[in-house]
């Protein structure tokens, strides 16, 4: 494994960014392994000579930050600017107490690493989450009611809703998209008193902890509907195709004693049809409530469209008085890295980022369908960072020597490519800063290509998203789901590098931390015509990074 040097040292963690339709993944032929003790003892003196002025992550420094194999947390005696003892590990009531903390360390430790959130979940949301947990425990996999529902599913038909009704999430595209759609599917289940179950393929295994106490959200492997991941827009059981064939009709919502399909497949990916988009109409929602099983596949964060369904309006207002906190609250409630992932996150943070007084995250995504030259993108990043005072200018006239007590600012770069890291690192290594600060630049991975169907890649990507969410300031690339997840978990309003066609300015500040719904419907269900959905209500408007997208604002 090749080592990637930064100003601070030699370690490298191979991870991923986001892909064309999702997030960037890493190369399967490389493994991410911490530097072994023996190797460090052999090569550390040589590295010290080579890197000269670089700060050295020596064993003394590791001890000084209290690094421990068990948790990766600092000791109380550390002089580093480390997080204090947990003040609110339950995140204002979002998280339920009583979990075995050792089984999922990140559940209660994430709060130690991220900036304190100024957003408090509403008491109504907290109450609804506790009620949902009780429902999930009653109806979850392998319970008596679940087994009864499975028998109904096997019968090939249904006659209406059951005591337990389900939304089965089907993964699609890369990890960033998957995370966004898990949150979307959960909110939809919450609004309709349904239980969310995840179809977890091998590439997604051991990434996320179970979020609900004393039960599981993983769909059992003996689920009777097979080949879920092959479902697509032409699948006969899709909502749109069933509407077209007359198998279901939205006016069935008024009828009693119906014979309905055993399940309906909701195809909500970017290529969904006009009939599939009727899903977001109120009469469709009322009809679908009669189905005990809904199978859902999407690569879109479709939450903003739920806020345009009139019957959900009051419930959503009570759940989220601050509209732009949906992903922030539900993401921190649902999405906890497993101990495998969390170990990677905390080890990397401790060794490279812990001593900086401020951390700037820079997430770079170059899309194949919207190419941009390396120099153009690099100039955008540098111009944005300097114009907005995120990073200091350098003194080109004289090298300068930083003071012994100079403050350090850490820059975490996440991208597939090594060139951006190299340029930024060299700029701050070869020149002093105008402010006297010391700038350390770090890049966990530079895979040069992407893959999205390997577990190891997704583990690294999830670790990298969490590291970005620890930033004090975040710069993201327009339309990147990878950046959306990081900003939402961190409660950050990022500086957005625009798409090539929109580059009249270096960057613009996001006014909402919510993700963007890239492929929203434009059909007005009551007016029976296309309308501008970004002008219907004040809190659902067009995205800063995609004119045709929709997102939530306060």
């Amino acid at each position: 494994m090749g080592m990637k040097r930064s100003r601070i040292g030699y370690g490298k963690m191979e991870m991923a960014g986001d892909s064309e339709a999702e997030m960037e993944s890493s190369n399967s032929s490389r493994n991410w392994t911490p530097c072994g003790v023996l190797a460090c003892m052999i090569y550390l003196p040589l590295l010290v000579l080579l890197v000269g002025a670089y700060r050295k992550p020596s064993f003394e420094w590791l001890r000084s930050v209290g690094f421990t194999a068990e948790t990766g947390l600092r000791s109380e005696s550390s002089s580093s600017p480390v997080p204090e003892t947990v003040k609110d590990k339950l995140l204002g009531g979002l998280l339920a107490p009583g979990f075995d903390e050792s089984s999922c360390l990140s559940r209660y430790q994430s709060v130690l690493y991220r900036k304190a959130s100024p957003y408090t979940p509403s008491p109504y949301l907290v109450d609804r989450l506790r009620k949902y947990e009780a429902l999930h425990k009653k109806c979850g996999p392998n319970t008596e009611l679940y087994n009864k529902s499975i028998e109904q599913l096997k019968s090939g038909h249904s006659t209406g809703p059951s005591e337990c009704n389900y939304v089965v999430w089907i993964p699609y595209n890369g990890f960033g998209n998957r995370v966004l759609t898990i949150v979307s599917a959960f909110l939809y289940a919450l609004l309709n008193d349904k239980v969310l179950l995840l179809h977890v393929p091998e590439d997604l295994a051991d990434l996320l902890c179970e979020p609900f106490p004393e039960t599981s959200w993983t769909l059992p492997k003996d689920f009777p509907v097979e080949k879920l991941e092959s479902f697509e827009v032409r699948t006969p059981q899709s909502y749109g195709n069933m509407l077209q064939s007359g198998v279901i009709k939205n006016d069935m919502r008024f009828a009693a004693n119906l014979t309905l399909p055993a399940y309906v497949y909701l195809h909500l990916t970017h290529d969904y049809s006009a009939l599939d988009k009727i899903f977001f109409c109120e009469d469709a929602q009322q009809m679908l409530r009669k189905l005990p099983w809904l199978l859902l596949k999407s690569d879109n964060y479709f939450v903003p469209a739920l806020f345009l369904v009139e019957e959900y309006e009051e419930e959503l207002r009570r759940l989220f008085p601050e509209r732009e906190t949906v992903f922030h609250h539900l993401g921190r409630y649902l999405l906890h890295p497993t101990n495998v992932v969390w170990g990677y996150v905390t080890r990397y943070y401790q060794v490279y980022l812990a001593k900086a007084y401020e951390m700037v995250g820079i997430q770079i995504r170059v899309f194949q369908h919207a190419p941009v030259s390396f120099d153009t993108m690099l100039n955008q990043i540098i111009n944005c960072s300097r114009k907005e005072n995120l990073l200091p200018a350098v003194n080109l006239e004289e090298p300068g020597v930083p003071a012994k007590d100079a403050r350090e600012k850490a820059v975490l770069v996440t991208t597939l490519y090594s060139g951006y890291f190299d340029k930024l690192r060299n700029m701050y290594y070869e020149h002093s800063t105008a402010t006297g600060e010391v700038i350390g630049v770090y890049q966990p991975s530079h895979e040069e290509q992407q893959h999205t169907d390997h577990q190891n890649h997704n583990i690294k990507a999830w670790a990298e998203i969490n590291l970005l969410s620890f930033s004090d300031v975040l710069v993201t690339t327009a339309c990147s789901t990878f950046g959306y997840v990081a900003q939402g978990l961190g409660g950050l309003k990022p500086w957005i590098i625009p798409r090539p066609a929109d580059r009249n300015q270096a960057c613009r500040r996001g006014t909402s931390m919510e993700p963007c719904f890239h492929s929203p419907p434009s059909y007005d269900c009551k007016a029976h015509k296309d309308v501008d959905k970004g002008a219907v209500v004040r809190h659902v408007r067009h995205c800063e990074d995609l004119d045709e997208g929709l997102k939530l604002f306060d």
Side-chain angles (χ1 to χ4, degrees), residues 490-505:
L492 303 166
K493 295 180 181 179
W495 294 95
I496 304 168
I497 303 293
R499 298 188 300 172
D502 305 325
R503 287 189 174 149
N504 295 322
Q505 53 185 349

Side-chain angles (χ1 to χ4, degrees), residues 18 27 34 38 40 42 73 124 197 210 215 222 248 250 298 302 314 317 354 378 387 393 413 435 438 461 526 552:
D18 47 24
N27 192 311
L38 181 59
C40 288
I42 294 172
L73 292 173
Y124 185 71
L197 299 177
E210 294 283 356
T215 185
D222 60 355
I248 58 175
N250 285 339
S298 179
F302 59 83
E314 177 60 21
R317 185 193 64 79
L378 179 65
K387 179 182 177 183
V413 178
T435 60
V438 175
K526 294 182 177 179
L552 295 168

Side-chain angles (χ1 to χ4, degrees), residues 12-51:
K12 174 176 175 289
M13 176 178 69
E14 298 188 3
M15 299 191 300
D18 47 24
S19 79
E20 178 176 354
E22 69 263 3
M23 32 80 32
E24 298 169 355
S25 283
S26 53
N27 192 311
S28 62
S29 63
R30 301 177 183 177
N31 295 318
W32 172 24
T33 359
C35 180
V37 173
L38 181 59
C40 288
M41 293 177 66
I42 294 172
Y43 290 109
L44 184 58
L46 176 61
L47 287 168
V48 170
L49 293 174
L50 290 174
V51 301

Side-chain angles (χ1 to χ4, degrees), residues 155-193:
S155 74
H157 68 276
S158 64
T159 56
S162 304
E163 185 174 354
C164 295
N165 303 283
Y166 300 87
V167 175
V168 175
W169 173 86
I170 304 170
Y172 184 58
N173 274 333
F175 189 75
N177 301 77
R178 295 179 185 192
V179 166
L180 295 178
T181 57
I182 287 173
V183 171
S184 302
F186 176 76
L187 179 58
Y188 179 66
L190 189 69
L191 291 170
N192 289 279
D193 294 318

Side-chain angles (χ1 to χ4, degrees), residues 308-321:
L308 296 175
V309 178
E310 188 173 340
E311 74 167 279
Y312 295 148
E313 184 177 351
E314 177 60 21
E315 179 75 358
L316 288 168
R317 185 193 64 79
R318 297 180 68 189
L319 289 169
F320 304 102

